[in-house]
Amino acid sequence: MSWNKLLCNHRELQLLGTLSGGQSFRWIHNKENDEWTGIFSKTVWKLKQENDYLLYQVIGSLLTTTQTIIKNKKQKNTANRIFESLLEQYFRLDFNLSKYYEQWSEKDGLFKSACEQFYGIRMLSQEPVENLFSFICSQNNHISRISSMVEKLCSQYGDEICKHDGVTYYAFPEVEQLAQPEVEPKLRKLGFGYRAKFIQKSATQIVEWGGNEWFKSLQDMKYKDAKQELMKLHGIGPKVADCICLMSLNHLEALPVDTHVYQIAAQNYLPHLRGKKNVTEKMYAEIGDHFRNLYGDMAGWAHTVLFCADLKKFQKSDESNSVVPKKKRKK
């Protein structure tokens, strides 16, 4: 299968930090050929970078616009444009990230240092249903287990997209599928623990409140109002609510504070918070407000760069795992 090309300066998008930095849990990196395989918009993708292009393949899709057989070049070009548009939305490529990096670097010396390696960290624009239930799975969990839980949700309740190289790929389930009464006991058997109840109860509430229309209403609200509405869901606390606001509701000032973010804040910005055993509600608000005052209305995105720079798995990466895309040799 040939690769399609989407013009994208490599300084504007870094796949490694963006796709494996804890935003989404459905991407797998093949280090041998530096390709990424993942799922969003009911579509299975392969991605890689080469010079100033984002290369992509569509392995399979459930989108109605792509179910018909492409018979001529014009239809193929139309389909490619649809997929390019999805990629542009997903990676928020309409944002001139270099400009924002310059602004954030002027305000913060730590950011200026971090962005030398962690350029092109994008805030993904995710689908709210997948984002919300993925982060319910993230509570008191680590990334490999979160990824496993998310895939179980998809294989149990999502529609099959395609089979490829011996792997069956599924779309993320609709919220109505997760609201069924039998979901909780089944997920408990699959090892979800208390999260099983959170998933089924929250799904039921969302359906009762209007499903996708309810999510759209949250996008139109002010950030703090949207956060409060999300926290009415069963098992959704401040951190998960902020993750959803930031990653799928376009409230880019939202800043999820966990113990990791607390350590960054206490060690580098708010020394009076050092040595605390727990992040209190007051501390949570103080940390978020500090970074919003520092970075402005995209504080959540800016802080994600610091978060990636502080992750041990990136600090240990050697030249073979460099974030710099490999240049294609000229023949």
Side-chain angles (χ1 to χ4, degrees):
M1 184 182 294
S2 61
W3 291 88
N4 300 291
K5 287 186 173 183
L6 178 62
L7 186 64
C8 179
N9 186 300
H10 75 271
R11 300 293 299 185
E12 285 286 309
L13 170 62
Q14 181 201 126
L15 290 179
L16 180 62
T18 300
L19 296 181
S20 64
Q23 294 188 56
S24 175
F25 306 101
R26 303 204 72 192
W27 289 96
I28 296 174
H29 187 204
N30 185 329
K31 294 182 180 179
E32 291 184 8
N33 54 22
D34 200 22
E35 292 178 7
W36 295 83
T37 303
I39 304 164
F40 71 90
S41 292
K42 301 187 179 189
T43 302
V44 183
W45 308 78
K46 280 189 181 293
L47 303 177
K48 66 178 180 178
Q49 289 178 287
E50 188 177 275
N51 299 326
D52 283 332
Y53 287 96
L54 174 63
L55 306 186
Y56 71 93
Q57 293 178 353
V58 175
I59 305 303
S61 180
L62 295 180
L63 299 182
T64 54
T65 50
T66 63
Q67 288 176 345
T68 56
I69 298 173
I70 298 172
K71 296 180 180 179
N72 56 48
K73 186 176 180 180
K74 184 177 180 180
Q75 288 178 317
K76 183 177 180 180
N77 289 340
T78 300
N80 286 347
R81 185 58 206 142
I82 291 169
F83 290 122
E84 285 180 8
S85 178
L86 289 173
L87 286 169
E88 289 166 354
Q89 293 172 30
Y90 186 68
F91 287 111
R92 300 183 192 266
L93 294 182
D94 56 326
F95 283 83
N96 183 342
L97 194 52
S98 297
K99 180 185 74 173
Y100 290 107
Y101 265 51
E102 288 178 12
Q103 294 175 1
W104 298 332
S105 294
E106 289 173 0
K107 296 176 179 179
D108 183 8
L110 183 62
F111 183 94
K112 186 175 183 179
S113 175
C115 74
E116 291 179 11
Q117 181 182 5
F118 293 91
Y119 57 84
I121 303 296
R122 290 270 163 185
M123 181 53 57
L124 298 175
S125 178
Q126 301 184 60
E127 294 157 319
V129 171
E130 177 175 342
N131 187 219
L132 186 148
F133 291 103
S134 295
F135 274 89
I136 287 180
C137 293
S138 77
Q139 296 180 51
N140 300 310
N141 224 338
H142 53 78
I143 287 182
S144 61
R145 190 157 177 260
I146 301 165
S147 299
S148 174
M149 286 183 172
V150 170
E151 290 309 317
K152 286 178 183 177
L153 283 179
C154 297
S155 62
Q156 292 295 321
Y157 300 105
D159 295 329
E160 181 179 326
I161 300 173
C162 66
K163 291 182 173 68
H164 179 71
D165 287 344
V167 179
T168 304
Y169 293 94
Y170 298 88
F172 199 87
E174 302 293 337
V175 68
E176 291 81 5
Q177 294 167 299
L178 298 176
Q180 302 304 314
E182 64 272 15
V183 168
E184 181 186 344
K186 187 168 186 177
L187 292 182
R188 284 190 181 275
K189 289 181 180 179
L190 291 172
F192 281 68
Y194 63 86
R195 303 171 194 86
K197 182 177 181 179
F198 292 172
I199 289 169
Q200 194 274 329
K201 296 295 185 185
S202 290
T204 300
Q205 288 174 284
I206 293 169
V207 171
E208 290 174 352
W209 297 343
N212 288 329
E213 290 302 315
W214 179 71
F215 280 117
K216 289 178 182 177
S217 73
L218 298 186
Q219 291 179 324
D220 294 333
M221 291 180 186
K222 292 182 179 179
Y223 152 59
K224 291 188 176 180
D225 292 335
K227 179 178 177 179
Q228 290 302 314
E229 287 300 306
L230 285 165
M231 288 172 62
K232 294 177 182 177
L233 291 171
H234 201 91
I236 301 288
K239 182 208 161 190
V240 172
D242 271 329
C243 288
I244 301 159
C245 282
L246 175 64
M247 299 175 189
S248 59
L249 298 179
N250 295 320
H251 295 299
L252 299 177
E253 70 269 46
L255 201 140
V257 179
D258 58 9
T259 53
H260 192 81
V261 174
Y262 156 72
Q263 291 291 341
I264 295 173
Q267 292 302 317
N268 301 285
Y269 300 92
L270 301 168
H272 64 281
L273 296 181
R274 292 176 187 171
K276 306 295 183 182
K277 291 184 178 180
N278 298 300
V279 178
T280 65
E281 185 177 339
K282 182 179 178 181
M283 288 166 57
Y284 190 106
E286 182 179 357
I287 292 169
D289 288 342
H290 173 82
F291 287 110
R292 279 185 280 273
N293 290 332
L294 179 62
Y295 294 128
D297 58 6
M298 290 175 61
W301 191 330
H303 194 272
T304 297
V305 180
L306 297 184
F307 182 86
C308 285
D310 206 55
L311 290 178
K312 290 182 179 179
K313 69 175 179 178
F314 291 140
Q315 293 171 358
K316 291 180 180 179
S317 57
D318 53 25
E319 288 186 2
S320 64
N321 289 328
S322 172
V323 297
V324 181
K326 297 177 181 178
K327 297 280 186 179
K328 188 176 180 181
R329 292 182 180 178
K330 294 182 179 179
K331 295 181 180 180

